[in-house]
Amino acid sequence: MGDEYFPLYGNGGYDVRHYLLKVSYDPATDRLAGVATISARASQNLSRFNLDFVGLTVRSIKVNGRSASWSRTDHELTVTPKHGLKKGRRFTVVVRYDGVPITQEIVLGPGFTIEAGFIHTDDGAIVAGQPEVAASWFPVNDHPIDKASYTFVVTAPADLEVVANGRLLSRKRHGAKRTWLWHAPEPMASYLATVNIGQFDTHRYRTPDGLWMYDALDPDLFTEPVDPDDPASATYGGIAEGSLARQGEILDFLEERFSRYPFSTGGGIVDDYDNLLFALETQTRPVYSKFFFTSPPSGDSVVVHELAHQWFGDSVALAEWKHIWLNEGFAQYSEWMWSEEEGLGTAQELFDAFYNGIPAANPFWSVVIGDPGPQLLFDNAVYIRGAMAVHQLRLAVGDRDFFRILRAWTTRKAGGNGTIPQFMRLAERVSGEQLDELFRVWLFTAGRPALGGAAAAARSTAAARSSSGVELERLRR
Ligand code: TRP
Ligand code: ZN
């Protein structure tokens, strides 16, 4: 695919439309057996093609119903069909495989790694991680640029629940096992696919707006006080339940600022696993570490963050990983807007606290937010300075144009992919401002920016333009 940060991720030559993933998982042995049916279209003539696939054993591969040969390296599965595939033609690949999925160690920052990907828990499994985790449990074109719809057919012990993305279409018991059918119809980046297996209290309901929600909370969370020294303190489960109960309200809040919620279902998943140390915006149904739910404001805030990602990251996914600001800057800034709404500190106060509180010499200021490099992809600065950059944009163009930019971006790009330069162009078009300097300073320069410069300059041209009627003219277009 040619991602600058991760050259091996994804493959060219074809475009996947749908993954049908039939997997059975046995928590007692950690073994997974799968049949992946991949429906794709050739974008060029192909005598062979690559999938990303890591670990696990391939048992057989068929292309359009005929046995194909294959070879493997660490990361790449090269498939050679019996007959070449013609440009423009649809084709189907069926891969049978099994084994124990490996769990990834993901580097979040220097000296800070966490468990991610296919995580084996005490009673089941959690699948969540980024940038690249899907290849550890199914053969995939593993890059967000190749979105597809997904159907999950998951078999697990009958006493466990299975929660994936999208809508639950059926579940059927057969003997000691149960098979669950989940369908996620909207185009989805591969790293956003999740399957969670374990003991869960599940709750299916509709928000007042009519959106189908499916929440899953590990019952163990309700026996664990957040303060281990005070058995009477609130439990992780109680706090998580409270924050998930606000999802409808939070979605309304985000819809007012962005655009309509882009998917047909929602919800959240909270497992009790101690080594799950992050949240992830898995499409329609984020996965949350219990450790966010130590107080209601902290829990609400992470739910705001992951739900904001449903627009910024999921519906509008990255075209390349270097555009990470489009995900984390906006998800973080949504937390700041929510904080303001809740009376817990305004976006400006949060901006000021970080700006004034972090000395200019701190490495925080040396990260280039618009191109942080693969090592610093999820550095704290990408989040906080990312949100600061969003705030500066808002100050520069004013609230009216700022929210028009967010609406235009999330509607025009819905279901697709975006880049920072595309966002910059849209922001300029919608606001009628020249924003080069603002983005150069806040996204593409290391070092603590001087305040007042770029934003103030854009603000004064904004005032001049709107008084001349140019802005209104643009609005009508
Ligand atoms: N994107 C996630 C969030 O903002 C957090 C995250 C960053 C993450 N890097 C990760 C999650 C790696 C899993 C693995 O909510
Ligand atoms: Zn995030």
Side-chain angles (χ1 to χ4, degrees):
M1 202 63 87
D3 191 288
E4 194 183 308
Y5 286 7
F6 305 105
L8 284 184
Y9 293 7
N11 311 278
Y14 64 94
D15 181 16
V16 178
R17 292 161 171 256
H18 181 72
Y19 293 91
L20 165 60
L21 304 176
K22 288 193 194 182
V23 300
S24 61
Y25 183 69
D26 180 7
T29 60
D30 290 348
R31 287 186 70 82
L32 178 141
V35 183
T37 303
I38 302 167
S39 308
R41 219 184 105 261
S43 51
Q44 61 185 68
N45 289 334
L46 296 170
S47 56
R48 58 171 188 268
F49 59 89
N50 278 22
L51 290 160
D52 301 294
F53 199 38
V54 177
L56 301 173
T57 304
V58 175
R59 298 293 175 185
S60 72
I61 301 183
K62 286 188 171 177
V63 177
N64 292 334
R66 310 196 55 165
S67 294
S69 59
W70 72 88
S71 64
R72 296 185 70 175
T73 59
D74 278 357
H75 191 281
E76 301 290 317
L77 170 62
T78 303
V79 180
T80 307
K82 216 155 238 152
H83 302 295
L85 301 164
K86 279 248 158 59
K87 176 176 176 176
R89 280 288 178 77
R90 293 195 184 195
F91 64 100
T92 305
V93 189
V94 179
V95 182
R96 290 177 184 275
Y97 59 97
D98 55 52
V100 176
I102 48 160
T103 303
Q104 294 187 358
E105 300 259 286
I106 290 202
V107 180
L108 278 192
F112 181 28
T113 60
I114 56 167
E115 230 178 277
F118 198 104
I119 300 171
H120 303 273
T121 63
D122 47 356
D123 59 354
I126 301 169
V127 180
Q130 63 183 148
E132 191 236 18
V133 296
S136 64
W137 69 286
F138 62 97
V140 53
N141 194 20
D142 207 1
H143 193 280
I145 200 88
D146 192 0
K147 292 184 174 190
S149 55
Y150 284 71
T151 306
F152 307 91
V153 183
V154 183
T155 299
D159 58 335
L160 300 179
E161 312 286 317
V162 173
V163 188
N165 313 84
R167 186 182 297 268
L168 177 61
L169 295 183
S170 73
R171 47 179 206 162
K172 223 183 252 144
R173 188 179 177 138
H174 36 98
K177 292 186 173 172
R178 200 194 303 271
T179 297
W180 302 66
L181 174 59
W182 286 89
H183 183 61
E186 292 105 1
M188 177 161 79
S190 49
Y191 78 95
L192 298 171
T194 189
V195 167
N196 298 264
I197 300 169
Q199 285 179 323
F200 288 108
D201 291 339
T202 58
H203 183 205
R204 195 173 83 114
Y205 59 100
R206 289 173 92 141
T207 64
D209 291 350
L211 180 70
W212 273 111
M213 303 291 282
Y214 200 102
D215 296 339
L217 286 108
D218 191 322
D220 294 343
L221 295 167
F222 293 88
T223 62
E224 250 185 280
V226 295
D227 178 356
D229 297 329
D230 177 7
S233 64
T235 63
Y236 289 109
I239 293 170
E241 201 170 46
S243 292
L244 292 182
R246 299 191 72 178
Q247 286 174 112
E249 187 190 339
I250 291 168
L251 288 171
D252 285 348
F253 172 84
L254 296 172
E255 281 189 329
E256 270 169 37
R257 280 150 189 84
F258 305 159
S259 52
R260 268 200 66 131
Y261 177 69
F263 304 119
S264 53
T265 57
I269 304 163
V270 194
D271 201 309
D272 177 48
Y273 188 58
D274 281 332
N275 286 325
L276 181 69
L277 295 171
F278 59 81
L280 186 70
E281 60 268 25
T282 41
Q283 189 160 304
T284 67
R285 197 153 296 118
V287 167
Y288 300 94
S289 162
K290 66 178 174 186
F291 294 114
F292 288 106
F293 301 105
T294 50
S295 71
S298 162
D300 298 352
S301 198
V302 72
V303 172
V304 169
H305 183 110
E306 304 311 331
L307 292 183
H309 272 309
Q310 301 304 307
W311 286 262
F312 287 91
D314 293 7
S315 172
V316 188
L318 304 177
E320 276 201 67
W321 283 103
K322 69 174 174 187
H323 305 297
I324 190 68
W325 172 68
L326 293 172
N327 287 15
E328 301 308 343
F330 290 84
Q332 188 66 36
Y333 193 66
S334 301
E335 292 188 59
W336 292 10
M337 291 193 289
W338 176 258
S339 162
E340 181 159 346
E341 177 85 352
E342 292 278 283
L344 298 173
T346 66
Q348 184 64 49
E349 285 165 350
L350 287 159
F351 177 95
D352 292 342
F354 288 110
Y355 188 87
N356 298 319
I358 302 176
N362 192 297
F364 173 86
W365 296 108
S366 61
V367 181
V368 178
I369 302 308
D371 192 0
Q375 245 60 50
L376 296 178
L377 196 53
F378 296 106
D379 192 86
N380 187 43
V382 170
Y383 289 73
I384 303 297
R385 279 187 60 203
M388 295 175 93
V390 175
H391 190 64
Q392 287 300 314
L393 170 66
R394 180 177 179 179
L395 292 182
V397 302
D399 274 12
R400 227 164 70 99
D401 281 352
F402 175 70
F403 290 112
R404 283 186 356 199
I405 292 165
L406 302 192
R407 171 168 303 274
W409 179 253
T410 55
T411 52
R412 288 182 204 176
K413 289 274 183 192
N417 299 83
T419 69
I420 293 176
Q422 288 169 352
F423 182 87
M424 288 164 37
R425 274 199 295 280
L426 181 77
E428 290 192 331
R429 235 182 301 127
V430 169
S431 68
E433 304 303 321
Q434 166 55 254
L435 298 169
D436 282 357
E437 183 61 9
L438 177 96
F439 288 120
R440 192 185 64 73
V441 168
W442 284 95
L443 291 183
F444 294 107
T445 309
R448 180 161 73 180
L451 276 188
R459 224 170 10 245
S460 66
T461 57
R465 292 253 175 93
S466 58
S467 62
S468 72
V470 172
E471 191 197 31
L472 273 179
E473 192 53 49
R474 278 174 204 281
L475 232 181
R476 265 179 237 120
R477 274 191 251 138

